[in-house]
Amino acid sequence: MPRTSVDPAHDGPARPAPNGLALSVVATPGFGDYALIDSGEGRKLERFGEVLVDRPEPQALWRKRLEPAQWARAHAVFSASGEDDEKGRWRVDRAVPEAWPVAIPLARAGGTVVSVTMLCRLSAMWHLGLFPEQHPHWQWMGERLDAHVGEAPRVLNLFGYTGAASLLAAAAGAQVTHVDASRKAVTWARENQAASRLEHAPMRWIVDDAQKFTAREVRRGRTYNVILVDPPKFGRGPQGETWDLFTHLPGLLADCAKLLDPAGASLVLTAYAIRASSIACDQLVRETLADHGGRYESGELAIRESDGDRLVPTSLFVRWRSDRAGA
């Protein structure tokens, strides 16, 4: 079993263990239109724009900090089905628009800030169309794009969902290819594109199975400067293709490795599979990119409560960037 050195109180790289593997906790404190207000007892209270939502959070094992009256201010409460925390129904206690805007900022080199607009919705599952814990990934991507030299950088966003990362990349001047197997998700992403006034940005919206698409891109000889991989645990492609993270992720990453631009590239893998491990994800990416050199960072994404130090863990991640200029 590999040994690791992890400092749970530190947001950033922990000191490496003797074998060189260190895990990080990368936590977002939120941003203007998003905050984690409180968490505990299997729930989390969040603000998306002007809307407060109370959703399940199985990993919030601690006690709630706020009084029940403050939780009762939530516009909508999601009740899980009992078999799956993501399935159930919303109880709307205060009026909620069918869709409402949430602005996502991206700090640029030189101190400027760009932003995109995501339209949030109370969907059939507990999702609202936005995973705010990934904001540090988006900022990291923006830094890679700012460091790029030459023609507009190329970004591939696999399992791109409603397009937050894709739109931020486009706002930062990248040529973006967004891939998702759900036509509904891609339609939602294009609505976000319109809300962000990026209709004329160089973006390709692809409804396809991620494995099939990347295999075709390899045969075409395409390369990308940034590749984002955010797969579900299980899923179905538009033609009924099956996706199982533990079975199919290694092959997908092998194709992604072939798509990395030799002149400078970076890759982000995010995994929400509960059975997975940060160590497992790290070692898979290191093995897959063994011939690419570069630098790695692995660990967990989390969200920090707005008025405290508690973190809600959300997912595992590995970030890699090459040693070449522009990565």
Side-chain angles (χ1 to χ4, degrees):
M1 176 70 69
R3 296 175 59 195
T4 61
S5 174
V6 183
D7 180 356
H10 176 63
D11 297 347
R15 290 192 302 271
N19 69 344
L21 174 61
L23 301 181
S24 304
V25 175
V26 176
T28 178
F31 42 89
D33 269 3
Y34 172 79
L36 173 63
I37 307 299
D38 194 17
S39 62
E41 301 166 36
R43 309 290 300 183
K44 56 185 175 183
L45 180 65
E46 301 164 284
R47 177 178 59 80
F48 287 79
E50 300 299 322
V51 177
L52 290 177
V53 294
D54 174 351
R55 300 192 289 171
E57 181 46 70
Q59 299 202 74
L61 303 177
W62 43 88
R63 291 179 294 178
K64 296 175 180 176
R65 178 175 50 84
L66 298 179
E67 296 297 324
Q70 293 175 280
W71 280 74
R73 296 171 53 217
H75 293 77
V77 179
F78 189 87
S79 298
S81 66
E83 298 179 358
D84 187 333
D85 288 318
E86 295 185 355
K87 296 180 180 179
R89 64 185 183 85
W90 287 98
R91 187 188 78 232
V92 179
D93 295 335
R94 290 174 170 78
V96 177
E98 180 180 349
W100 70 96
V102 171
I104 312 294
L106 182 71
R108 303 293 308 280
T112 62
V113 177
V114 297
S115 68
V116 301
T117 298
M118 301 293 289
L119 299 175
C120 287
R121 295 184 172 93
L122 301 179
S123 66
M125 304 172 76
W126 58 257
H127 302 301
L128 280 78
L130 177 64
F131 292 92
E133 65 269 19
Q134 293 209 19
H135 190 260
H137 279 348
W138 303 332
Q139 189 59 57
W140 188 85
M141 173 190 70
E143 292 166 2
R144 307 283 78 73
L145 297 177
D146 283 339
H148 180 80
V149 177
E151 63 181 13
R154 299 174 301 282
V155 173
L156 173 60
N157 188 10
L158 298 174
F159 308 96
Y161 192 40
T162 57
S166 297
L167 293 168
L168 286 167
Q175 300 177 22
V176 180
T177 299
H178 174 108
V179 181
D180 199 282
S182 168
R183 188 171 300 277
K184 181 178 180 181
V186 172
T187 298
W188 193 344
R190 298 197 72 160
E191 292 173 0
N192 291 332
Q193 181 186 21
S196 301
R197 300 182 179 180
L198 289 170
E199 298 97 324
H200 301 297
M203 307 184 72
R204 291 196 297 161
W205 301 101
I206 310 293
V207 178
D208 201 353
D209 175 74
Q211 299 174 94
K212 288 183 175 179
F213 179 82
T214 52
R216 287 199 305 272
E217 291 290 89
V218 170
R219 293 194 294 270
R220 293 166 180 154
R222 297 269 176 82
T223 61
Y224 293 89
N225 302 106
V226 177
I227 299 180
L228 309 172
V229 187
D230 185 17
K233 290 176 288 186
F234 301 98
R236 295 262 179 202
Q239 304 300 320
E241 304 92 340
T242 59
W243 167 266
D244 178 279
L245 184 142
F246 294 96
T247 301
H248 299 123
L249 182 59
L252 176 67
L253 285 179
D255 278 343
C256 288
K258 299 172 185 175
L259 296 176
L260 293 168
D261 189 333
S266 55
L267 180 144
V268 180
L269 167 67
T270 310
Y272 286 82
I274 298 303
R275 284 199 301 120
S277 158
S278 297
I279 298 171
C281 293
D282 177 278
Q283 292 176 164
L284 172 60
V285 174
R286 286 177 186 264
E287 178 183 86
T288 305
L289 302 182
D291 296 332
H292 288 68
R295 287 167 279 180
Y296 297 82
E297 182 183 5
S298 303
E300 293 194 27
L301 288 184
I303 304 174
R304 183 182 299 280
E305 289 182 359
S306 56
D307 292 325
D309 292 329
R310 294 191 306 190
L311 303 176
V312 172
T314 63
S315 55
L316 315 176
F317 77 90
V318 183
R319 300 195 298 215
W320 169 87
R321 60 181 174 128
S322 65
D323 292 321
R324 301 291 183 89

